[in-house]
Amino acid sequence: EFQIQVRDYNTKNGTIKWHSIKRQKR
Amino acid sequence: EWIKFAAACREGEDNSKRNPIAKIHSDCAANQQVTYHISGVGIDQPPYGIFVVNQKTGEINITSIVDREVTPFFIIYCRAVNAQGQDLERVLELRVRILDINDNPPVFSMSTFLGQIEENSNANTLVMRLNATDADEPNNLNSKIAFKIISQEPSDSPMFIINRNTGEIRTMNNFLDREQYGQYSLAVRGSDRDGGADGMSAQCECSIKILDVNDNIPYTELSSYSITVKENALYSELLKIRVIDLDEEFSANWIAVIFFISGNEGNWFAIEMNERTNVGILKVIKPLDYEAVKNLQLSIGVRNKAEFHHSIMSRYKVTATAISVTVLNVIEDSVFRPGSKTFIVTRNMEQNYKVGEFVAIDLDTGGPSTTVRYVMGNNPADLLAIDSKTGIITLRKKVTWDQYHMLNGKYKGTILSIDDALQRTCTGTVLVNLEDGDWEILKTTTIKADDRDKPEHTTTFSTIKNTDDRVITGVPLIKDNVHFGPAGIGLLIMGFLVLGLVPFLLICCDCGGAPGGGAGFEPVPECSDGAIHSWAVEGPQPQLMDLTQIPLDNANVIECVDTSGVYTNEYCGRETQDMGEEERMRGFELTDAVKTPRGPETCQEYSGTLRRNSMRECREGGLNMNFMESYFCQKAYAYADEEEGRPSNDCLLIYDIEGVGSPAGSVGCCSFIGEDLDDSFLDNLGPKFKKLADITLGKSVEPYPDLDPSCPPESTGPIYPPQETEPLASGCPPLSPCYGTTTVISESTYPSGPGVQHPMPIPDPLGYGNVTVTESYATSGTLKPSVHIHDNRHASNVLVTERVVGPISGADLHGMLEMPDLRDGSNVIVTERVIAPSSSLPTTLTISDPRESSNVVVTERVIRPTSGMMGTLAMHP
């Protein structure tokens, strides 16, 4: 698996949170 | 649509404090050394070096301040390579969206906008529209401009309003009066962030000119005039009448037209307008006669050259201005009235014969003048004499033939009346007709010329005898007269005969050509293209058949349908090419079950998807192409405003592989949006989805091979009219009595996830003939799809509908469906597969709101009716 994670800037407590990029079917 | 969440960076800021903005990782790093590389705009393409990657850890950092107005987003292509430089993974894409900040003020397209509006316009009349742009992100508050009028000059009272969103300037009321203010100047401010306090502003000017309308009634400077004119006199500038009008000078609203109401019955007067001064000049163009008219009253009115504005039209009434005219008497000359007189003189009149009397009239008394003497003026041939006192005209001597010949029978002379006291002279014209009755033409003799070479040239002489018994000969009257000899006369007769023969021959000639008579003009029938006979030589014109009237037990039903060009289905080896194993099994069973001894080539020309080549076939076949084009246009329009404006790839599939029981010529549509080339998701799709996806992604789709002759082809199912899909919505698939062993399997997918937009209205496809369209566009988030939506006319959120009709043997299908052997039975199984965001598989098919989740699962529903059901299958979930 080859995955990308991006930082979540919107965390309330200031901690760094990472989201794995997912494909989403709309 | 498959999308990826993008990382976001804010423009104009140092985003390095947020580094790393992303991380990439390959599982291959567990057992070997992996080096990560990134490329793309902002990396190895200008602007260079904005993003860098730690090749060992895969951490991606941003190094520079970025400008969204220059690069709205970046796409970072991520690779994982081994020590030999070989790619271990397929390339991943990371979209980095640049978040907008309000760093651009609104910019008006002009510093001063010019507009104009008619006075007296109704309130809320559009005057002009201001235009301003903001370079910040579209559809963002940073670029949302609000307009506001800051000031107005003259500032008596506000006369204009502006739409804060559109910049349209309109009239506030209907009191605009050019005669009061001919121009207004406005100062307008445009502020982004919708006019918020934190927005940036720009300012412009608007100059609005008030246009004139004819809303002022003209009037003469004086209400009455009095003038005096002499009789018998013409005046070019008798009176100046100034007109007052408040409308715009020199315009048609201002220029006056003065007209006579009464008093000018003799047409003595005329009024000429000076359009530069708006002054009318009264003229006398026909002399007045004091003895006839001593006083008169002229009545004049005034209006404008242009029509009055409707606002004052009812107020306008013609106001008369009186002009009193006094005619002055003058001592007049004696005149010959009438100015000429005609007399008759014959040869019999002797010398001093009284031809007539011609006296001058005293205009003041109206009787013969007593103060004048008469003398002859011009007197040709000295023919006449006049008595100086009485004006009696006499013959000076008897008229001779020579005089007659010299005057050519007409005499025209003048006499003068001379008033020695006033030293005035008047001239009268005397005309005399010399009647020639006394001059007798005695004889006319034609003498042939003696020239034998020109026998037709003759000379005619007349011999005239007058009353003097003189015989005058040798007067040539006609010369070189044409003479026809016998040969000429014969030729003339021949010519007339030929001329008479031509119409006779024309009547006898049959120009239209007898039927079958060979060459000739062929009449072109009306409403045709002349000699084009489309069907005459190639057989009868194909008739579109009403499918509902096709007898279902007719073995030639497919040929009939094919002739009509509707897309019918075969369900043999074609679909199995793309089916999964289960479907393949199903398909074969279907084939076995519904096979009929019909040739396999019957439907081949309509198989496959509706691609370019098959579009042509559709046209030839009779599919309603107008509907198709309209459908695609609206489909594209529905996606046009899709988030981030990604291009959409639509695909329309003609379901000729559906099989028995489906409405003839079903159509499915599928749309994939995005740039995700990772098509592994296709693995999870059913064959029809997969085919649609392949087509959408531009992959070549293998055509269906010809049916194996060893596999007896089945007949397609009964041909249903489109409206018969409706029972399917309520769980009652229509079935033909003759194809009782039928399985109906339907798939429905429902979109989930954010960003869906409102569906565009799509025309009812069922109104276009034998085509069933399954909608595929995304729906709004408020729409909660229900698995019961199978009515294609109302299914606004169905992507693809699959329907497989046929008997199925075997006990297990997908491990989920327990399928009885239907080959010999009449059971019908309806399977619906629903892709819905739910982790569970509710048997009741109550699907949770797909907006809430991004996961997609497939739900299959098996509806098994009671055995023995034929035709009117009632199914309940």
Side-chain angles (χ1 to χ4, degrees), chain B residues 53-305:
Chain B
V53 64
N54 185 322
Q55 295 187 341
K56 292 183 179 178
T57 64
E59 292 179 346
I60 298 174
N61 292 341
I62 184 169
T63 63
S64 307
I65 295 173
V66 291
D67 186 357
R68 192 210 65 85
E69 281 70 57
V70 176
T71 313
F73 64 90
F74 295 89
I75 300 177
I76 299 175
Y77 297 94
C78 308
R79 297 169 56 212
V81 300
N82 59 17
Q84 289 75 39
Q86 296 169 324
D87 279 315
L88 298 174
E89 306 277 0
R90 286 202 291 176
V91 176
L92 286 181
E93 298 172 17
L94 173 62
R95 290 171 63 92
V96 179
R97 185 179 170 193
I98 307 302
L99 301 180
D100 186 49
I101 63 170
N102 189 23
D103 56 345
N104 290 282
V107 176
F108 284 97
S109 58
M110 286 186 279
S111 59
T112 302
F113 290 84
L114 302 177
Q116 50 191 21
I117 182 71
E118 280 186 352
E119 59 178 333
N120 292 334
S121 291
N122 292 328
N124 205 35
T125 302
L126 178 64
V127 181
M128 59 199 300
R129 180 173 182 165
L130 307 187
N131 183 36
T133 57
D134 193 300
D136 286 322
E137 185 175 6
N139 301 320
N140 187 303
L141 203 60
N142 293 337
S143 62
K144 173 70 173 167
I145 303 173
F147 298 93
K148 183 180 181 182
I149 295 176
I150 300 172
S151 65
Q152 171 188 298
E153 187 65 35
S155 58
D156 288 2
S157 58
M159 304 298 284
F160 301 96
I161 53 177
I162 191 168
N163 184 310
R164 60 176 281 128
N165 297 316
T166 64
E168 289 179 349
I169 296 178
R170 293 175 180 270
T171 55
M172 182 178 283
N173 50 50
N174 59 348
F175 304 144
L176 282 173
D177 185 7
R178 188 207 67 89
E179 284 72 56
Q180 185 183 16
Y181 296 116
Q183 184 152 341
Y184 287 85
S185 292
L186 306 177
V188 176
R189 176 188 294 157
S191 303
D192 59 17
R193 295 195 67 76
D194 201 19
D198 56 343
M200 305 174 76
S201 299
Q203 205 163 312
C204 74
E205 285 190 11
C206 298
S207 178
I208 301 174
K209 181 183 179 185
I210 309 302
L211 301 178
D212 183 50
V213 299
N214 193 8
D215 59 342
N216 287 283
I217 297 173
Y219 55 93
T220 55
E221 187 177 24
L222 302 175
S223 59
S224 64
Y225 298 85
S226 180
I227 54 174
T228 302
V229 296
K230 291 180 180 176
E231 65 167 334
N232 301 330
L234 300 178
Y235 293 85
S236 61
E237 197 172 307
L238 180 62
L239 175 68
K240 290 185 177 180
I241 306 166
R242 181 175 300 278
V243 178
I244 311 297
D245 194 301
L246 300 179
D247 286 319
E248 186 176 5
E249 275 192 320
F250 313 116
S251 71
N253 300 332
W254 174 79
I255 296 172
V257 175
I258 301 176
F259 55 94
F260 290 103
I261 299 172
S262 64
N264 191 29
E265 288 75 13
N267 294 319
W268 306 284
F269 301 95
I271 297 174
E272 183 181 292
M273 284 302 301
N274 184 337
E275 295 187 347
R276 295 193 57 79
T277 60
N278 229 13
V279 170
I281 299 170
L282 182 66
K283 295 180 172 184
V284 178
I285 58 173
K286 182 180 172 184
L288 285 144
D289 185 3
Y290 170 82
E291 285 71 30
V293 180
K294 294 180 175 57
N295 291 288
L296 61 89
Q297 287 284 330
L298 287 175
S299 180
I300 60 171
V302 61
R303 63 172 186 269
N304 281 124
K305 198 173 182 179

Side-chain angles (χ1 to χ4, degrees), chain B residues 52 124 137 238 363 389 405 433 445 456 506 521 559 614 655 667 695 772 791 868:
Chain B
V52 295
N124 205 35
E137 185 175 6
L238 180 62
L363 292 176
K389 290 185 178 177
H405 182 64
N433 288 335
T445 306
E456 66 277 15
L506 285 173
F521 293 107
E559 284 82 355
S614 55
Y655 278 60
V667 176
I695 296 164
T772 298
D791 183 354

Side-chain angles (χ1 to χ4, degrees), chain B residues 484-501:
Chain B
F484 294 101
I489 293 171
L491 284 172
L492 279 173
I493 293 172
M494 286 293 291
F496 283 123
L497 283 174
V498 170
L499 285 173
L501 196 59

Side-chain angles (χ1 to χ4, degrees), chain B residues 473-495:
Chain B
T473 60
V475 179
L477 297 179
I478 306 170
K479 197 174 181 183
D480 290 334
N481 199 1
V482 178
H483 175 74
F484 294 101
I489 293 171
L491 284 172
L492 279 173
I493 293 172
M494 286 293 291

Side-chain angles (χ1 to χ4, degrees), chain B residues 365-441:
Chain B
T365 63
S369 176
T370 56
T371 61
V372 297
R373 59 183 175 90
Y374 303 97
V375 296
M376 287 301 299
N378 185 25
N379 190 13
D382 200 20
L383 192 68
L384 302 177
I386 190 167
D387 186 289
S388 64
K389 290 185 178 177
T390 63
I392 294 173
I393 299 171
T394 56
L395 272 179
R396 185 174 290 277
K397 60 182 179 181
K398 193 173 183 180
V399 179
T400 63
W401 186 91
D402 290 336
Q403 286 177 312
Y404 173 84
H405 182 64
M406 185 182 72
L407 297 172
N408 200 21
K410 295 284 185 183
Y411 170 92
K412 183 178 181 182
T414 58
I415 61 174
L416 305 175
S417 69
I418 302 171
D419 189 327
D420 292 318
L422 296 175
Q423 295 188 336
R424 289 177 182 169
T425 301
C426 186
T427 303
T429 301
V430 177
L431 301 173
V432 176
N433 288 335
L434 298 173
E435 295 191 347
D436 58 353
D438 294 330
W439 284 276
E440 182 185 355
I441 298 176

Side-chain angles (χ1 to χ4, degrees), chain B residues 500-517:
Chain B
L501 196 59
V502 167
F504 178 74
L505 291 173
L506 285 173
I507 292 171
C508 296
C509 177
D510 186 3
C511 292

